[in-house]
Amino acid sequence: MTQSNSNISRLSSNNSTDLDTQQVWTAVDDYIEAHLLEDNPALNQTLENTVRQGYPSHLHIAANQAQMLSMLIKMNGAKRILEFGTFAGYSTIVMAQALPADGYLLTIESRDTHYALAQENIAHAGLTDIIDARLGLANEVIHSLDATTPAFDFIFIDADKQSYPEYLELSLRHARSGTLIILDNVIRAAEIIDPNNHKPSIVGLRELFQALQNHPQIAESTAIQTVGCKGYDGFAMAVVK
Ligand code: DHB
Ligand code: MG
């Protein structure tokens, strides 16, 4: 192993980030949240219900990232949102809250337990009019959409990482010029650049980067590394041509 490869492996191994470093990242996220984010009772309720039912709390996006999605949705005047991977409905709820009253959000979840949890959280947030939550495989749900379904303005991909290249292609079937696509968890503590890492999720993410590179339907794309309460990860964003 070369020196740089061993450095990557060290960084991305499970207990790579020492406790002190993670505590500092979390403390800074707490600071950001305390200063810049308004209390959001629907999100608090969602987190409480999710943890109460024994589901992990690391799977949903951080509060400051949720706020970024909300701002991007408003800045783009988005009215129609598509989400891959509902899980507990945390990001679903925050994105729906950013929509106007006549907005629409279609979210797809393949696990029935997660779907049931999200249904509860969405109902509790009073967002059942805006959110259309579907249980099923993304491929089947997308293909079941009417050919006349208007394009989505904003798409958030946050599901199994192995399938991101497929979800990108499914997204592009129902996108328009200018649609913004955000993809969560594309860095995975630098695992993506470790040539010795062949996990299906990591292979899928590398294929995603290849797909974004010179894609005929993508105008431009980038990815941003992040650290915070969720550890070391990052997101990608792409604008449709
Ligand atoms: C995992 C998935 C996510 O979407 C996320 O934000 C964090 C972790 C995971 O599968 O471990
Ligand atoms: Mg995620």
Side-chain angles (χ1 to χ4, degrees):
M1 198 184 270
T2 66
Q3 182 61 41
S4 75
N5 283 352
S6 83
N7 284 341
I8 293 161
S9 296
R10 193 160 42 77
L11 245 182
S12 58
S13 72
N14 279 338
N15 43 16
S16 59
T17 307
D18 63 62
L19 193 60
D20 286 352
T21 305
Q22 180 56 58
Q23 280 173 343
V24 170
W25 292 346
T26 300
V28 173
D29 264 0
D30 289 345
Y31 180 91
I32 293 168
E33 188 170 348
H35 284 80
L36 306 183
L37 307 186
E38 280 180 21
D39 191 39
N40 190 325
L43 291 186
N44 296 340
Q45 159 72 29
T46 293
L47 294 184
E48 279 162 26
N49 191 33
T50 303
V51 171
R52 194 184 319 121
Q53 296 194 33
Y55 289 96
S57 61
H58 72 280
L59 290 177
H60 53 74
I61 56 173
N64 53 350
Q65 191 189 354
Q67 175 79 352
M68 185 192 75
L69 295 183
S70 173
M71 291 165 70
L72 288 171
I73 289 162
K74 291 177 198 162
M75 283 159 61
N76 286 286
K79 280 196 155 187
R80 293 174 56 81
I81 299 176
L82 172 61
E83 179 181 52
F84 294 79
T86 316
F87 180 45
Y90 181 92
S91 51
T92 319
I93 288 168
V94 84
M95 292 192 293
Q97 287 175 333
L99 282 171
D102 63 345
Y104 171 77
L105 190 158
L106 172 63
T107 183
I108 306 169
E109 173 58 53
S110 64
R111 287 208 202 171
D112 55 1
T113 48
H114 292 173
Y115 172 77
L117 172 66
Q119 291 278 65
E120 273 182 35
N121 292 334
I122 290 164
H124 209 279
L127 289 165
T128 49
D129 286 351
I130 288 183
I131 297 170
D132 179 1
R134 306 270 186 100
L135 173 64
L137 295 174
N139 183 39
E140 288 168 14
V141 173
I142 295 296
H143 282 94
S144 75
L145 296 181
D146 206 295
T148 60
T149 301
F152 292 96
D153 308 306
F154 186 93
I155 299 174
F156 183 50
I157 301 177
D158 187 17
D160 59 301
K161 316 309 165 202
Q162 185 182 346
S163 304
Y164 274 25
E166 179 194 356
Y167 299 155
L168 175 67
E169 290 306 317
L170 291 171
S171 296
L172 291 169
R173 297 170 71 102
H174 293 279
R176 57 160 172 84
S177 177
T179 293
L180 183 59
I181 304 174
I182 308 279
L183 305 104
D184 194 32
N185 314 109
V186 301
I187 304 296
R188 307 263 69 186
E191 284 182 69
I192 56 161
I193 62 161
D194 179 358
N196 299 312
N197 191 319
H198 303 291
K199 284 197 280 192
S201 58
I202 300 303
V203 172
L205 290 173
R206 284 194 206 108
E207 284 171 6
L208 168 77
F209 276 85
Q210 274 165 5
L212 288 172
Q213 184 178 17
N214 300 321
H215 194 296
Q217 287 173 268
I218 300 291
E220 49 193 336
S221 60
T222 189
I224 304 292
Q225 308 181 66
T226 56
V227 295
C229 62
K230 306 290 177 180
Y232 170 29
D233 212 324
F235 60 91
M237 61 199 300
V239 176
V240 177
K241 225 180 238 178

